[in-house]
């Protein structure tokens, strides 16, 4: 089978990007296979560094993202819209993820992208990427108000 989780997440992100809500959802990694999914913005660089440091200090591979502290910041979009940005770890939770990434890490294209450094090899439970979600504060406030109203009904 193909990279079903990654493909699904990519489609969700594309659909959100086009819905006019200002919400975005992207996959990022310092070990990206897709050239468009590398760590790009300053927020992503800070968040990725924190996730990598946490991964290095984890005791064993618990295969749980709950062992990581979520990285988040308040910021602004280019147009000045205030947003919350959140980066959560994406772990290699399935054997098929590990096998596919390890195989792709050894391809000429990925080796070239890595500057010919030795191929990264992952184990199940390893940090393999991150999910970055950006939500305008107005949208998150409206959602919180809607949840509060629903719970009081």
């Amino acid at each position: 089978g193909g990279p079903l989780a990654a493909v699904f997440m990519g489609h969700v992100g594309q659909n959100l990007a086009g819905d006019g809500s200002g919400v975005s959802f992207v996959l990022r990694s310092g070990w990206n296979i897709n050239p468009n999914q590398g760590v790009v913005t300053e927020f992503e660089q800070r968040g990725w560094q924190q996730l990598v440091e946490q991964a290095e200090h984890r005791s064993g591979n618990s295969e749980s993202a709950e062992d990581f502290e979520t990285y988040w910041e308040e910021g602004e979009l280019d147009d000045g819209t205030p947003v919350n940005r959140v980066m959560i770890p994406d772990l290699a939770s399935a054997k098929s993820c590990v096998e596919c990434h390890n195989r792709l890490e050894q391809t000429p294209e990925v080796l070239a992208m890595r500057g010919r450094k030795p191929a990264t090899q992952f184990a199940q439970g390893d940090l393999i990427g991150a999910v970055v979600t950006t939500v305008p504060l107005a949208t998150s406030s409206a959602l919180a108000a809607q949840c509060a109203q629903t719970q009081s009904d």
Side-chain angles (χ1 to χ4, degrees):
L4 297 178
V7 170
F8 174 76
M9 291 172 78
H11 286 300
V12 169
Q14 288 174 345
N15 287 336
L16 279 175
D19 76 355
S21 68
V23 175
S24 70
F25 178 82
V26 294
L27 296 174
R28 293 289 185 244
S29 179
W31 307 292
N32 53 306
I33 300 296
N34 180 327
N36 298 319
Q37 293 179 333
V39 174
V40 179
T41 67
E42 290 181 15
F43 165 78
E44 292 168 357
Q45 291 169 5
R46 288 188 296 271
W48 181 250
Q49 184 61 40
Q50 185 189 77
L51 293 178
V52 168
E53 288 172 7
Q54 290 181 61
E56 289 170 353
H57 293 98
R58 286 170 67 205
S59 56
N61 288 335
S62 70
E63 301 176 29
S64 174
E66 293 173 6
D67 293 340
F68 287 81
E69 192 174 311
T70 298
Y71 185 79
W72 71 277
E73 293 179 4
E74 289 186 4
E76 290 184 350
L77 298 177
D78 291 340
D79 68 3
T81 302
V83 295
N84 278 325
R85 290 188 174 101
V86 180
M87 179 181 269
I88 60 170
D90 183 17
L91 305 183
S93 57
K95 185 178 177 185
S96 60
C97 299
V98 172
E99 290 171 350
C100 185
H101 273 261
N102 286 346
R103 185 178 67 252
L104 290 169
E105 281 289 330
Q106 299 181 47
T107 63
E109 298 83 8
V110 173
L111 287 170
M113 205 167 44
R114 305 271 189 272
R116 301 285 175 203
K117 294 179 185 166
T120 302
Q121 293 295 284
F122 299 98
Q124 201 164 340
D126 283 355
L127 175 69
I128 205 163
V131 178
V132 176
T133 306
T134 302
V135 180
L137 292 181
T139 303
S140 61
S141 296
L143 288 171
Q146 186 178 16
C147 287
Q149 181 62 41
T150 302
Q151 293 195 0
S152 67
D153 288 345

